[in-house]
């Protein structure tokens, strides 16, 4: 009996410590086992001098203690004075004494309000390290960055870092409903426990804030863009206030989605017309009420007149009228309106890819100063690959915010390992040519191209209440990478993968090298086995799980995959060149020419812009049909290779995460084959050609694949 109890206890303890690894994200703070580095750290970190006593500074101090305890096995002494050498001095500019301030004064010119300085200095001939910034939150960013130096086993010698975020709004968009379901959420239910708030503060809220602050995220939209007006009632605002209080010390502002018809639904007005005086006043009063509770409330995110959501057009007004009315309501308090450009009208039979541009481009320069237009990275909808959204090159007088999707709605949910920073980087590096060569999307988004006052990057969160937050251990890397790119849109995704792997798993080169390579190749793999050569939106409809290129029976044409691939006896692809819908004309002439011409259009975007025959010759000499089939096979092979890489990592990491990823890769492999077989069998009906050699025979019939139904696929409301 006792021994049984012992075994049980042992299991319980080992379960909880292992499970914590999944939970701890990239803040593992595991012992530094590189002896040289460990001793360098210990020698340089004899004491900590923390200046200031705000809640944020307390958080910074706690984080340093946790980090040092985990990584070095002890906590350097907390000191109130700087006497000996080898201290870490942590505090905002206002708390530094004149002597120290002088040592870093020129560095302060290099940073903005949220930027930080980490510097090795000598004070009265004693060497010290300073972490500082213009305010306490900046110092906290510096602390996390300093801890990352240790986490990634880098040297502390001659530190001289001055780093600032390049965008102002670095924000997660939670598509979380008030009943705790998450639209397109694949990691459990919403973190926000509305029923227990405001009195019960789940530790998870704090850990969420910590994780975000560690990567520089400074805002969160708590609610779904398909909004519920109830969030704006006092009963809920009290709960929102409680969350805002938790997040504040971490530098995170709370934002909400505003349902445009809220004045009717919760305000008892007869209209929500943005030009109606009563409606304007209702929003002004609502804003006043919110800011009374939450003085640093960020503002509203709005999805209007899109996919059935109410908006100004219901009253004969336009997006400018709607956005500016809300902007007036929050302006006195410093609030911002993030107005989404994700629109495609049911009354417009034209190419869906052209619609957001057609609707929004004419509004350039018409929005109030505190409005920023939030544009998805591509013109359709978060596909495995899309050319950059033409609006990024077309609204010089309007601040545009990037919207990426971190949750993998169209990329295999939280089952497939796909390292998204690679996708994000591809978009950010795209050249709009708006002001000539080098006018990249990153420069539009960070405001450097048009000198915008507000700038931002939003990511649709992949976070839920699963033990590991994101469903897949590697999906944590997408949250991490999003934050790092929002801070610096010019960061290389490989650097991000390296940092994340070291902080999350191991610094062992034998682990890092192959796994990093696997991550870097994972995005192209998913493109290859789902939508190679520019194909898009051929997922099964509604839930978007698995292939459904055959779907053609939905009421709106652009909801059907057949609308996007246009496969027929002659060939496949959507002609968006000037012989087709002329969507290419929405780009700057240089880009337009590139995409429009079949000879110069990058093959990765071929079927996005052109309808080509099955016999069309690809650059490698293969026919389109053979090339397409071989790409699908390549995707499957890539997943098989990922699986092989992972199977060799067992000795470097904990068994729990090892086997989780192993099982997930098995599923991904199975699903990659499903994608290949279903798509090729379907397209083969039109090409009428045999599969080329090298492509495995399908395991099932087309009818079988068509018969698969997933009424309970997650994330679909
Ligand atoms: C699509 C999703 C849908 C969202 C919509 C949006 O399928 O659930 O509501 O985008 O971004 O990707 O508004």
């Amino acid at each position: 009996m006792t021994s049984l109890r012992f075994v049980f206890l042992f299991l319980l303890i080992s379960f909880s410590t292992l499970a914590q690894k999944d939970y701890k994200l990239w803040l593992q703070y595991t012992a530094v086992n590189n002896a040289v580095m460990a001793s360098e750290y210990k020698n340089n970190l004899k004491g900590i001098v923390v200046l200031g006593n705000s809640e944020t500074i307390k958080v910074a101090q706690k984080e340093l203690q946790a980090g040092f305890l985990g990584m070095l096995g002890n906590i350097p002494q907390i000191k109130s004075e700087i006497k000996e050498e080898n201290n870490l001095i942590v505090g905002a500019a206002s708390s530094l004494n004149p002597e120290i301030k002088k040592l870093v004064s020129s560095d302060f010119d290099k940073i903005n309000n949220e930027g930080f300085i980490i510097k090795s200095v000598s004070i009265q001939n004693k060497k010290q390290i300073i972490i500082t910034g213009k305010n306490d939150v900046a110092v906290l960013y510096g602390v996390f960055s300093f801890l990352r130096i240790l986490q990634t086993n880098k040297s502390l010698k001659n530190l001289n870092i001055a780093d600032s975020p390049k965008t102002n709004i670095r924000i997660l968009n939670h598509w979380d409903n008030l009943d705790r379901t998450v639209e397109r959420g694949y990691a459990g239910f919403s973190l926000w426990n509305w029923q227990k708030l405001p009195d019960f503060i789940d530790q998870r809220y704090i850990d969420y804030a910590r994780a975000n602050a560690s990567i520089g995220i400074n805002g969160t939209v708590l609610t779904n863009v398909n909004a519920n007006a109830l969030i704006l009632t006092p009963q809920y605002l009290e709960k929102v206030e409680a969350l805002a209080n938790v997040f504040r010390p971490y530098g995170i502002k709370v934002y909400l989605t505003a349902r445009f018809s809220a004045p009717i639904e919760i305000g008892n007005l007869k209209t929500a017309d943005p030009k109606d005086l009563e409606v304007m006043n209702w929003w002004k009063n609502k804003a006043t009420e919110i800011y009374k509770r939450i003085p640093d409330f960020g503002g509203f995110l709005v999805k209007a007149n899109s996919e059935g959501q109410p908006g100004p057009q219901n009253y004969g007004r336009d997006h400018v009228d709607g956005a500016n009315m809300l902007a007036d309501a929050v302006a006195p308090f410093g609030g911002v309106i993030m107005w989404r450009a994700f629109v495609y009208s049911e009354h417009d039979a034209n190419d869906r890819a052209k619609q957001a541009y057609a609707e929004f481009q004419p509004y350039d320069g018409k929005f109030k100063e505190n409005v920023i237009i939030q544009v998805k990275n591509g013109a359709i909808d978060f596909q495995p690959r899309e050319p950059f959204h033409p609006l990024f090159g077309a609204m010089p007088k309007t601040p545009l915010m990037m919207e990426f999707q971190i949750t993998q709605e169209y990329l295999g949910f939280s089952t497939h390992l796909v390292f998204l920073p690679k996708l994000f980087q591809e978009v950010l590096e795209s050249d709009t040519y708006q002001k000539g060569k080098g006018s990249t999307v990153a420069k539009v988004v960070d405001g450097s191209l048009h000198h915008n006052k507000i700038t931002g990057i939003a990511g649709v969160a992949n976070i839920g209440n699963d033990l590991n937050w994101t469903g897949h251990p590697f999906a944590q890397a997408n949250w991490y990478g999003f934050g790092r790119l929002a801070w610096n849109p010019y960061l290389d995704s490989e650097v991000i993968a390296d940092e994340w792997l070291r902080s999350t798993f191991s610094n062992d080169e034998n682990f890092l090298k192959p796994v990093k390579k696997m991550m870097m190749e994972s995005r192209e793999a998913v493109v290859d086995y789902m939508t190679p050569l520019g194909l898009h939106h051929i997922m099964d409809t509604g839930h978007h799980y698995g292939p459904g290129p055959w779907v053609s029976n939905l009421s709106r044409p652009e909801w059907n995959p057949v609308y996007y691939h246009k496969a027929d006896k002659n060939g496949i692809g959507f002609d968006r060149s000037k012989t087709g819908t002329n969507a290419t004309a929405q780009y700057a002439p240089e880009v337009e020419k590139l995409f429009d011409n079949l000879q110069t259009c990058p093959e990765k975007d071929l079927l996005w812009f052109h309808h080509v025959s099955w016999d069309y010759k690809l650059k490698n000499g293969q026919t389109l049909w053979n090339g397409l089939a071989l790409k699908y096979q390549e995707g499957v092979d890539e997943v098989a290779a990922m699986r092989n890489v992972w199977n060799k990592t067992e000795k470097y990491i904990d068994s729990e995460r090892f086997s989780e990823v192993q099982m997930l890769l098995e599923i991904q492999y199975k699903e990659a084959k499903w994608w290949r077989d279903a798509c090729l069998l379907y397209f083969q009906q039109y090409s009428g050609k045999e599969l080329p050699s090298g492509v495995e025979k399908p395991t099932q019939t087309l009818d079988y694949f068509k018969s698969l139904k997933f009424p309970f696929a997650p994330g679909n409301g």
Side-chain angles (χ1 to χ4, degrees):
M1 191 61 202
T2 7
S3 71
L4 246 181
R5 212 200 281 162
F6 184 76
V7 168
F8 176 72
L9 214 83
F10 173 78
L11 282 176
L12 200 79
I13 292 167
S14 46
F15 170 76
S16 56
T17 46
L18 282 178
Q20 275 172 17
K21 283 205 170 280
D22 244 351
Y23 183 83
K24 281 181 171 168
L25 298 160
W26 47 87
L27 300 171
Q28 303 282 327
Y29 299 145
T30 42
V32 176
N33 55 18
N34 175 328
V36 179
M37 293 323 290
S39 84
E40 187 198 311
Y41 298 156
K42 282 189 187 153
N43 291 337
N44 281 281
L45 300 166
K46 294 264 156 63
I48 314 178
V49 181
V50 179
L51 307 165
N53 56 7
S54 69
E55 288 305 309
T56 301
I57 288 296
K58 284 182 199 149
V59 165
Q61 176 171 335
K62 247 173 91 180
E63 198 64 36
L64 284 169
Q65 289 170 311
F68 292 148
L69 183 64
M71 291 189 280
L72 309 177
N74 71 317
I75 301 177
Q77 213 186 333
I78 308 279
K79 300 178 178 170
S80 52
E81 286 176 66
I82 312 157
K83 281 199 185 132
E84 295 89 14
E85 55 178 5
N86 294 320
N87 292 301
L88 182 65
I89 304 164
V90 182
S94 58
S95 66
L96 301 178
N97 72 35
E99 190 190 355
I100 303 179
K101 215 173 194 167
K102 223 169 126 196
L103 289 171
V104 286
S105 68
S106 64
D107 297 280
F108 274 106
D109 301 337
K110 297 183 206 148
I111 56 169
N112 61 29
N113 263 344
E114 292 179 289
F116 58 83
I117 296 161
I118 303 178
K119 196 166 181 168
S120 308
V121 293
S122 159
I123 304 171
Q124 290 163 4
N125 281 330
K126 291 179 181 129
K127 59 185 182 89
Q128 318 282 5
I129 297 171
I130 299 180
I131 303 179
T132 186
K134 292 182 183 168
N135 57 56
D136 292 345
V137 171
V139 172
L140 180 62
Y141 292 149
V143 161
F144 277 114
S145 184
F146 181 78
L147 288 167
R148 189 175 302 132
I149 297 177
L150 273 63
Q151 286 182 287
T152 54
N153 288 191
K154 301 223 166 69
S155 173
L156 296 181
K157 284 187 195 121
N158 302 321
L159 292 171
N160 190 9
I161 302 170
D163 191 12
S164 301
K166 295 198 190 302
T167 58
N168 320 132
I169 305 174
R170 306 178 298 277
I171 193 168
L172 289 177
N173 288 185
H174 286 269
W175 287 357
D176 294 17
N177 299 314
L178 299 185
D179 64 2
R180 294 191 77 180
T181 57
V182 180
E183 183 152 342
R184 311 311 176 183
Y186 314 105
F189 287 96
S190 169
L191 292 184
W192 325 131
N193 191 334
W194 297 112
Q195 197 256 327
K196 284 187 177 161
L197 280 164
D199 300 318
F200 184 82
I201 300 300
D202 193 324
Q203 176 63 31
R204 266 208 122 137
Y205 305 151
I206 298 161
D207 295 335
Y208 165 85
R210 225 184 114 219
N212 280 323
S214 77
I215 46 176
I217 288 175
N218 68 355
T220 178
V221 184
L222 299 177
T223 46
N224 193 352
V225 286
N226 297 319
N228 188 324
L230 282 180
I231 194 68
L232 302 176
T233 58
Q235 190 197 347
Y236 277 95
L237 288 176
E238 191 187 7
K239 300 167 192 283
V240 174
E241 179 186 347
L243 288 174
N245 291 341
V246 175
F247 300 160
R248 190 167 297 113
Y250 297 85
I252 295 164
K253 282 186 183 179
V254 156
Y255 298 68
L256 293 173
T257 46
R259 184 161 163 89
F260 205 77
S261 51
I264 303 172
E265 287 154 21
I266 59 169
N268 287 321
L269 300 190
K270 291 211 173 55
T271 177
D273 181 348
K275 296 249 159 135
D276 181 286
L277 204 65
E278 268 192 287
V279 172
M280 294 188 222
N281 281 332
W282 187 87
W283 281 109
K284 281 188 177 147
N285 291 334
K286 188 49 76 183
T288 310
E289 178 190 344
I290 296 174
Y291 279 94
K292 211 181 234 166
R293 289 182 178 278
I294 311 168
D296 56 352
F297 179 69
F300 294 121
L301 169 65
V302 190
K303 172 176 179 178
N305 295 119
S306 161
E307 299 185 327
Q309 293 300 305
Q313 292 170 358
N314 300 36
Y315 309 95
R317 315 293 183 187
D318 62 25
H319 289 287
V320 178
D321 301 326
N324 287 350
M325 181 271 294
L326 287 175
D328 282 340
V330 296
F333 312 99
V336 165
I337 301 300
M338 298 171 291
W339 192 271
R340 296 176 87 226
F342 178 67
V343 294
Y344 57 101
S345 161
E346 56 202 294
H347 309 296
D348 187 348
N350 203 335
D351 183 356
R352 171 173 164 186
K354 289 172 67 180
Q355 295 188 18
Y357 178 103
E359 218 172 311
F360 274 81
Q361 200 285 327
Y363 300 141
D364 189 25
K366 301 214 164 109
F367 293 98
K368 297 255 161 130
E369 260 200 348
N370 58 332
V371 175
I372 184 162
I373 302 301
Q374 186 168 310
V375 183
K376 289 189 181 180
N377 62 272
I380 297 287
D381 197 8
F382 299 136
Q383 298 302 297
R385 169 166 281 128
E386 294 191 42
F388 74 88
H389 201 303
L391 273 177
F392 286 112
M395 294 186 79
K397 288 179 271 178
T398 308
L400 300 180
M401 198 167 159
M402 172 62 73
E403 179 175 319
F404 284 130
Q405 194 180 45
I406 314 171
T407 191
Q408 291 169 234
E409 174 180 358
Y410 295 96
L411 290 96
F413 294 7
S414 62
T415 325
H416 293 207
L417 191 164
V418 184
F419 183 55
L420 292 176
K422 189 89 169 112
L423 183 165
F424 301 159
Q425 185 182 3
E426 177 177 289
V427 176
L428 291 163
E429 283 176 354
S430 299
D431 199 340
T432 70
Y433 278 88
Q434 194 176 10
K435 283 188 168 174
K437 194 170 163 52
S439 307
T440 59
V441 172
K443 286 190 189 165
V444 175
V445 168
D446 78 359
S448 58
L449 195 68
H450 305 305
H451 312 291
N452 310 109
K453 279 212 208 107
I454 27 174
T455 57
I457 301 194
V460 179
N462 61 348
I463 302 162
N465 70 352
D466 269 11
L467 203 60
N468 71 1
W469 302 86
T470 56
H472 195 307
F474 274 77
Q476 296 176 355
N478 295 334
W479 175 10
Y480 178 89
F482 164 77
R484 298 288 288 131
L485 280 169
W487 179 278
N488 179 2
Y490 304 92
L491 262 187
D492 189 72
S493 53
E494 192 165 343
V495 172
I496 296 172
D498 186 80
E499 280 178 11
W500 178 80
L501 279 171
R502 289 174 187 273
S503 315
T504 308
F505 284 109
S506 165
N507 274 288
D508 192 319
E509 288 295 336
N510 296 322
F511 170 81
L512 283 171
K513 228 178 131 204
V515 179
K516 201 189 325 175
K517 184 163 178 284
M518 168 184 91
M519 287 173 82
M520 293 307 289
E521 290 169 359
S522 60
R523 187 298 185 100
E524 210 54 41
V526 76
V527 170
D528 289 345
Y529 64 75
M530 283 188 186
T531 53
L533 298 174
L535 284 174
H536 51 285
H537 221 305
I538 56 173
M539 295 76 195
D540 203 356
T541 47
H543 47 64
H544 302 149
Y545 173 59
W550 46 80
V551 178
S552 64
N553 60 349
L554 300 175
S555 58
R556 285 175 61 170
E558 75 282 6
W559 285 349
N560 294 294
V562 295
Y563 169 93
Y564 296 97
H565 63 68
K566 302 208 185 305
D568 57 24
K569 291 262 180 278
N570 301 322
I572 181 170
F574 198 128
D575 186 0
R576 295 194 165 101
S577 74
K578 49 176 158 335
T579 56
T581 66
N582 204 21
T584 47
Q586 293 182 337
Y587 290 99
E590 292 88 339
V591 186
E592 174 187 0
K593 251 212 269 159
L594 181 86
F595 289 149
D596 208 76
N597 182 341
L598 198 50
Q599 302 313 311
T600 57
C601 182
E603 264 177 9
K604 62 183 168 59
D605 299 317
L606 184 65
L607 306 178
W608 184 283
F609 288 114
H610 299 276
H611 187 82
V612 297
S613 79
W614 296 108
D615 290 323
Y616 173 82
K617 274 264 168 350
L618 294 170
K619 299 211 165 78
N620 62 8
Q622 286 158 358
T623 63
L624 179 83
W625 168 251
N626 284 353
L628 186 74
L630 287 162
K631 272 279 172 209
Y632 271 107
Q633 180 64 46
E634 213 177 301
V636 172
D637 295 344
E638 282 160 322
V639 181
M642 286 163 67
R643 202 179 54 162
N644 294 342
V645 166
W646 188 255
N647 285 341
K648 295 196 189 102
T649 62
E650 191 165 9
K651 60 173 178 283
Y652 302 106
I653 64 167
D654 54 288
S655 58
E656 183 172 340
R657 288 184 300 174
F658 171 76
S659 67
E660 276 174 7
V661 175
Q662 189 179 45
M663 289 184 283
L664 288 163
L665 281 166
E666 283 305 326
I667 304 176
Q668 185 172 357
Y669 182 56
K670 239 199 272 178
E671 296 194 352
K673 287 193 283 188
W674 169 30
W675 267 95
R676 175 199 63 197
D677 293 350
C679 291
L680 288 179
L681 284 171
Y682 171 77
F683 291 134
Q684 194 173 35
Q685 302 176 103
Y686 300 100
S687 80
K689 294 173 195 295
E690 289 297 310
L691 289 175
S693 76
V695 178
E696 285 162 7
K697 294 268 160 300
T699 47
Q700 296 282 353
T701 63
L702 180 58
D703 282 338
Y704 166 80
F705 292 121
K706 282 184 170 176
S707 76
L708 300 175
K709 295 283 172 281
F710 306 94
F712 305 115
N716 198 26

